[in-house]
């Protein structure tokens, strides 16, 4: 319950005196990182208000679900798009991928109760969204919380189609790049949503392995707005519709000119769906008909279908062998994994962009598989040291620049007094550019390893200095 508020225009600051008599300052145009909503439960939210925010009108809200302990960081990534579309952003700070769905949903509900109490939210423009695992979790929010009008999932697949509410049918918008590992599954999700007659859009663009593009997030938020305009004419904004239409059409023409026919055709399909009943879409229809007759487009389409089919087979193999190797502690298969990743990395230099994108997706997919297994072992079978050792060895193959897995292998091997393995992974770590000498000397379980000549010789060779170099000279 709000007791009073003071609005200071020149400072762009809102000050609320809440029921608990705690004075809270909300700054417009900046992410507020730790806004306490429940002292007893120690819950807080991150919040973003657009600079145009005023208390005398209602505003759209995007609830952001972040499971990576970086809610404020995620809001900062989305804040530029939110500013351009005048959206409020809120994210509970205590969501965790290791917590139960029930626990996380309860925290989401507490955050929403707080925000709906202190801010004038437009109940017809209330959406959930997130990035990667956060986007996947966001697709569950409408199942448990009523009146969620849509879900924006960035590089995140649907959590579970069986749980989606047939009654609410929230508008699902997926956003991804063609080289992100979620791309292929999001295409499958799109087909399932279409078959179930769920309103949806899939916005695909070319970027660096899921890199976030502000203009694409703006497009997604605009699509939410225009979907509402179709249902409620009182929200119709011709300026927004025409401006976004021109932006989308110009992007497509640029892609078509560059020979990016597959993405251009997909964009045209989405435009037909989004702008139907809002503006004349004959231009869009004619462009799509013209593109479908293009021989190069048809050739690329067939090639893409073949690549995606083969990619699916490889993903099945990877998923099977990751689980099988960890269950049987199959260290001998590390050579196979190294070979497969080497083959994929060779594809990155291919002259065929579709093959390059597929290789990037598969590398990302394998890396995600390994990350999932690390989480499962850490939180479910923490005492299975052998499986933990093997999965981190595998991680050094799938992500050779992720230093943490090398350090884990060195620590576990040293604890097991397997100094040969520890020294091998230490050298691989140093070869890959690791420079933190003091970090190595403080690494858990390595007290005996650190005084060996081999350990210190490697540090002298790669870092130029070692704490126990006299032992080596003797």
């Amino acid at each position: 319950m709000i007791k009073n508020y003071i609005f200071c225009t020149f400072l762009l600051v809102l000050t609320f005196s809440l029921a608990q008599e705690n004075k809270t300052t909300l700054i417009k145009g900046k992410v507020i990182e730790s806004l306490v909503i429940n002292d007893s439960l120690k819950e807080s939210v991150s919040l973003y208000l657009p600079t145009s925010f005023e208390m005398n009108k209602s505003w759209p809200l995007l609830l952001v679900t972040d499971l990576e302990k970086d809610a404020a960081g995620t809001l900062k990534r989305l804040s530029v798009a939110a500013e351009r579309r005048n959206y409020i952003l809120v994210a509970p700070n205590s969501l965790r991928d290791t917590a139960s769905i029930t626990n996380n949903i309860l925290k989401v509900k507490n955050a929403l109760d707080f925000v709906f109490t202190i801010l004038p939210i437009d109940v017809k423009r209330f959406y959930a969204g997130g990035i990667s695992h956060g986007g996947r979790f966001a697709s569950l929010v409408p199942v448990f919380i009523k009146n969620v009008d849509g879900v924006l999932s960035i590089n995140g697949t649907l959590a579970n189609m069986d749980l989606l509410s047939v009654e609410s049918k929230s508008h699902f918008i997926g956003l991804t790049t063609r080289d992100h590992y979620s791309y292929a599954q999001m295409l499958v999700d799109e087909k399932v949503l279409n078959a179930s007659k769920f309103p949806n859009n899939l916005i695909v663009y070319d970027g660096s392995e899921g890199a976030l593009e502000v203009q694409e997030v703006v497009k997604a938020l605009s699509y939410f707005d225009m979907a509402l305009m179709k249902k409620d004419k009182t929200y119709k904004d011709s300026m927004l519709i025409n401006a976004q239409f021109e932006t989308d059409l110009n992007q497509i023409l640029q892609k078509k000119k560059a020979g990016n026919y597959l993405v251009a055709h997909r964009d045209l399909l989405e435009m037909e769906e989004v702008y139907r009943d809002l503006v004349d879409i004959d231009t869009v229809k004619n462009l799509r008909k013209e593109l479908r007759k293009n021989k190069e487009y048809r050739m690329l389409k067939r090639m893409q279908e073949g690549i995606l089919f083969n990619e699916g087979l490889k993903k099945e193999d990877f998923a099977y062998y990751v689980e099988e190797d960890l269950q049987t502690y199959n260290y001998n298969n590390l050579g196979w994994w190294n070979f497969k990743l080497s083959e994929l990395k060779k594809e990155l230099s291919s002259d065929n962009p579709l093959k390059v994108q597929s290789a990037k997706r598969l590398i990302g997919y394998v890396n995600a598989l390994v990350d999932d297994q690390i989480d499962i072992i850490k939180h479910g079978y923490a005492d299975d040291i052998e499986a933990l050792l093997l999965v981190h060895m595998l991680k050094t193959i799938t992500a050779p620049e992720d230093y943490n897995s090398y350090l884990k292998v060195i620590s576990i091997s040293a604890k097991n007094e397997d100094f040969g393995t520890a020294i091998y992974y230490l050298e691989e770590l140093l070869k890959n550019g690791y420079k933190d000498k003091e970090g190595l000397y403080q690494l858990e379980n390595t007290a005996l390893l650190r005084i060996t000549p081999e350990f210190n010789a490697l540090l002298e060779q790669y870092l130029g200095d070692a704490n126990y170099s006299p032992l080596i000279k003797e």
Side-chain angles (χ1 to χ4, degrees):
M1 176 77 63
I2 304 172
K3 284 193 172 182
N4 55 60
Y5 67 87
I6 302 170
F7 180 68
C8 307
T9 305
F10 68 98
L11 290 177
L12 299 178
V13 171
L14 295 167
T15 301
F16 294 96
S17 181
L18 303 179
Q20 297 90 341
E21 299 298 336
N22 293 327
K23 185 171 277 190
T24 305
T25 301
L26 305 181
I27 305 172
K28 299 195 296 183
K30 180 181 178 181
V31 173
I32 303 159
E33 298 190 9
S34 296
L35 188 58
V36 177
I37 64 171
N38 190 319
D39 284 327
S40 60
L41 296 178
K42 296 181 179 179
E43 290 186 19
S44 66
V45 297
S46 292
L47 181 71
Y48 179 81
L49 300 177
T51 54
S52 58
F53 178 82
E54 297 176 354
M55 285 295 292
N56 59 3
K57 60 177 286 191
S58 58
W59 299 82
L61 173 68
L62 179 66
L63 164 77
V64 178
T65 53
D66 175 85
L67 304 180
E68 308 297 331
K69 301 182 182 180
D70 189 26
T74 301
L75 288 203
K76 289 173 183 176
R77 296 179 68 187
L78 297 172
S79 62
V80 178
E83 178 68 25
R84 287 172 57 179
R85 290 300 313 132
N86 293 315
Y87 269 65
I88 293 174
L89 303 177
V90 65
N93 287 325
S94 54
L95 300 186
R96 297 292 181 265
D97 59 356
T98 54
S100 67
I101 292 175
T102 301
N103 186 274
N104 280 333
I105 287 293
L106 182 60
K107 291 175 180 178
V108 166
K109 186 179 182 302
N110 291 341
L112 291 173
D113 287 345
F114 174 77
V115 171
F116 273 88
T117 298
I118 69 168
L119 298 174
I121 305 300
D122 188 338
V123 294
K124 291 185 178 181
R125 302 174 71 193
F126 164 35
Y127 310 98
I131 300 174
S132 191
H133 294 302
R136 185 175 172 82
F137 178 77
S139 70
L140 290 175
V141 173
V143 178
F144 300 99
I145 295 176
K146 294 182 179 180
N147 302 319
V148 180
D149 297 289
V151 173
L152 172 59
S153 182
I154 302 170
N155 299 324
T157 57
L158 289 172
N160 192 328
M161 268 300 300
D162 295 333
L163 292 178
L164 295 184
S165 173
V166 176
E167 295 180 0
S168 66
K169 289 197 173 181
S170 297
H171 189 158
F172 182 88
I173 296 182
L175 186 67
T176 192
T177 63
R178 288 196 292 173
D179 56 8
H180 193 272
Y181 70 88
S182 67
Y183 169 70
Q185 184 57 47
M186 291 180 80
L187 291 177
V188 175
D189 290 346
E190 180 187 39
K191 292 180 180 178
V192 174
L193 289 168
N194 287 338
S196 303
K197 301 191 184 302
F198 273 79
N200 72 94
N201 300 103
L202 179 56
I203 300 172
V204 177
Y205 59 98
D206 287 328
S208 177
E209 297 181 62
L212 198 61
E213 293 286 346
V214 171
Q215 64 181 6
E216 304 300 333
V217 181
V218 171
K219 179 190 292 187
L221 297 179
S222 299
Y223 284 5
F224 278 143
D225 294 338
M226 287 185 277
L228 176 60
M229 293 176 201
K230 290 183 180 182
K231 294 186 290 185
D232 189 337
K233 301 301 180 184
T234 63
Y235 283 87
K236 189 164 184 179
D237 182 346
S238 297
M239 289 183 64
L240 165 65
I241 296 170
N242 293 330
Q244 191 62 48
F245 183 89
E246 288 300 319
T247 297
D248 291 352
L249 191 59
N250 287 334
Q251 283 183 348
I252 290 171
L253 292 174
Q254 290 173 12
K255 292 171 184 176
K256 183 171 176 288
K257 185 178 180 180
N260 196 352
Y261 298 126
L262 292 175
V263 175
H265 185 267
R266 161 164 288 285
D267 288 352
L268 288 167
L269 281 172
E270 296 299 336
M271 282 194 72
E272 282 191 35
E273 178 64 29
V274 170
Y275 293 99
R276 185 181 293 115
D277 302 327
L278 292 175
V279 294
D280 186 341
I281 59 172
D282 286 346
T283 302
V284 177
K285 288 181 176 180
N286 292 334
L287 275 172
R288 192 165 74 86
K289 288 178 182 178
E290 176 189 331
L291 195 53
R292 289 178 64 185
K293 296 177 182 178
N294 185 294
K295 290 182 179 180
E296 189 172 353
Y297 162 74
R298 295 203 299 269
M299 181 270 291
L300 289 171
K301 186 172 183 291
R302 287 193 298 270
M303 185 183 297
Q304 176 78 309
E305 288 170 351
I307 287 173
L308 286 172
F309 177 77
N310 289 325
E311 187 176 315
L313 297 177
K314 290 178 181 178
K315 286 165 70 175
E316 289 179 5
D317 282 348
F318 290 147
Y320 172 80
Y321 283 115
V322 162
E323 188 171 346
E324 180 74 9
D325 289 351
L326 291 174
Q327 287 180 349
T328 60
Y329 309 121
N330 189 4
Y331 292 90
N332 292 329
N333 213 28
L334 288 171
W336 181 85
W337 284 106
N338 193 44
F339 171 74
K340 288 296 181 181
L341 267 294
S342 297
E343 289 294 302
L344 289 176
K345 289 174 182 176
K346 288 179 184 177
E347 289 290 325
L348 297 178
S349 58
S350 171
D351 293 332
N352 186 334
L354 297 181
K355 290 184 177 181
V356 173
Q357 291 163 1
S358 179
K360 288 181 178 180
R361 291 194 296 267
L362 284 168
I363 292 171
Y365 177 76
V366 174
N367 206 33
L369 278 178
V370 174
D371 283 342
D372 287 344
Q373 290 297 325
I374 289 174
D375 288 339
I376 290 170
I377 295 169
K378 283 171 59 179
H379 298 108
Y381 308 97
D383 57 338
D384 194 345
I385 301 300
E386 193 167 358
L388 193 61
L389 175 63
L390 178 55
V391 76
H392 279 294
M393 286 179 171
L394 185 53
K395 179 73 173 180
T396 66
I397 295 171
T398 63
E401 295 181 358
D402 184 347
Y403 298 144
N404 182 62
S405 283
Y406 294 93
L407 295 171
K408 290 288 185 182
V409 172
I410 295 166
S411 175
I412 295 172
S413 298
K415 182 179 181 180
N416 295 338
E417 297 186 1
D418 182 1
F419 292 160
T421 297
I423 290 297
Y424 172 80
Y425 278 91
L426 172 62
E427 183 162 18
E428 292 301 305
L429 172 67
L430 295 170
K431 283 180 182 178
N432 279 281
Y434 188 80
K435 301 294 184 184
D436 185 4
K437 186 185 76 170
E438 293 308 313
L440 289 172
Y441 278 108
Q442 294 171 13
L443 188 60
E444 187 180 16
N445 303 319
T446 62
L448 291 176
L449 177 69
R450 295 195 298 265
I451 62 174
T452 63
E454 294 84 0
F455 182 94
N456 289 278
L458 285 175
L459 266 62
E460 281 202 334
Q461 178 183 347
Y462 288 94
L463 302 182
D465 185 30
N467 289 3
Y468 300 101
S469 56
L471 291 176
I472 302 168
K473 292 174 183 177
E474 291 175 6

